[in-house]
Amino acid sequence: MSSTNCSQPLWALVDCNNFYASCEKLFRPDLAARPVVVLSNNDGCIVARSAEAKALGIPMGEPEFKARPLLQRHKVEVFSSNYALYGDISARVMATLEQLCPHVEQYSIDEAFVRLEGPMAANASGIAEHLRQTVRQWTGMTVSVGVAPTRTLAKVANHLAKKSSGVYVWNSALPEAAAVLRAFPVREVWGIGWRQSKKLLEIGVTSAWGLREANDVWLRKFLTISGWKTAMELRGVPCINEEEG
């Protein structure tokens, strides 16, 4: 799905895949194809899973003692959290992005929004792939890159990138864009908390598309200005943190 409006700045969300588990694998080549989980501070619950661990059906947040039989049966490698390591690798990833692009907003330890303008926006797919390959080459970390006209749609695009080649460029003009938003649960939309999600579900809004098409007056009244801004972003109108961008 390629963008057709090259004059408008775009946002690329760069997200490290299975970050904590990937950090642990980085210095253990023997674990490349092995399932890995990372535990919380007190080793109580599973807070990160590699792709292989996810495929085994190991639940996120599961207490370790409950998952132990499954972990042992499948020879899952179990790590205690190492936040010093994760912080160091995060800093390397962000430094790499900052060398490649002039405007980088770190959103979390494993995510950053990258603003693409001018020629970079015109070649969004190529730039996204370049970011992905360079981060992999310089840091060893695999990232997914979703590109869209707004941060909220970039989040949606990133979900799709993880399920495809690792890069996804949003194009609202294509029929599949509406289908994607109709299938995207409203509770998973960036910026929609559980209280807002509950209000939306009460009036039958279950998808990102439903939020996108909701009445502006209702949105401002019941979801406040933040909910309205999220709906606008789903329509392709950038308005979240734009005063900073």
Side-chain angles (χ1 to χ4, degrees), residues 109-127:
I109 192 170
D110 61 347
E111 295 176 281
F113 288 106
V114 177
R115 187 177 176 92
L116 307 181
E117 298 181 283
M120 297 183 80
N123 183 29
S125 182
I127 293 297

Side-chain angles (χ1 to χ4, degrees), residues 3 132 157:
S3 176
R132 185 169 180 269

Side-chain angles (χ1 to χ4, degrees), residues 64-237:
E64 187 276 336
F65 76 90
K66 286 187 177 181
R68 194 173 301 158
L70 182 62
L71 299 174
Q72 293 175 344
R73 183 161 65 251
H74 292 284
K75 296 181 171 59
V76 178
E77 195 76 17
V78 180
F79 288 90
S80 299
S81 296
N82 184 347
Y83 294 110
L85 171 66
Y86 310 150
D88 179 67
I89 295 174
S90 172
R92 297 183 195 182
V93 171
M94 300 305 159
T96 299
L97 295 176
E98 288 169 355
Q99 289 191 54
L100 299 172
C101 300
H103 188 116
V104 178
E105 297 177 3
Q106 182 170 355
Y107 174 64
S108 66
I109 192 170
D110 61 347
E111 295 176 281
F113 288 106
V114 177
R115 187 177 176 92
L116 307 181
E117 298 181 283
M120 297 183 80
N123 183 29
S125 182
I127 293 297
E129 186 59 42
H130 179 62
L131 291 175
R132 185 169 180 269
Q133 291 180 5
T134 306
V135 169
R136 177 70 176 174
Q137 181 180 355
W138 291 7
T139 71
M141 297 299 291
T142 300
V143 300
S144 297
V145 186
V147 184
T150 70
R151 293 172 177 85
T152 303
L153 283 174
K155 275 277 192 177
V156 176
N158 193 273
H159 279 276
L160 299 172
K162 290 180 183 296
K163 297 177 181 179
S164 58
S165 63
V167 168
Y168 195 95
V169 181
W170 185 265
N171 186 345
S172 298
L174 295 181
E176 64 183 277
V180 167
L181 293 181
R182 286 190 173 98
F184 200 87
V186 72
R187 66 180 179 276
E188 295 183 15
V189 174
W190 183 55
I192 296 296
W194 71 267
R195 287 189 179 87
Q196 291 178 319
S197 176
K198 182 179 179 182
K199 289 180 180 179
L200 289 163
L201 293 173
E202 286 173 353
I203 64 166
V205 175
T206 61
S207 68
W209 181 261
L211 175 58
R212 178 188 187 278
E213 296 299 295
N215 178 271
D216 285 350
V217 175
W218 186 93
L219 286 168
R220 286 175 174 270
K221 181 176 181 180
F222 292 101
L223 298 189
T224 72
I225 191 67
S226 66
W228 173 76
K229 283 186 175 182
T230 298
M232 292 294 291
E233 290 238 326
L234 289 171
R235 298 169 192 169
V237 180

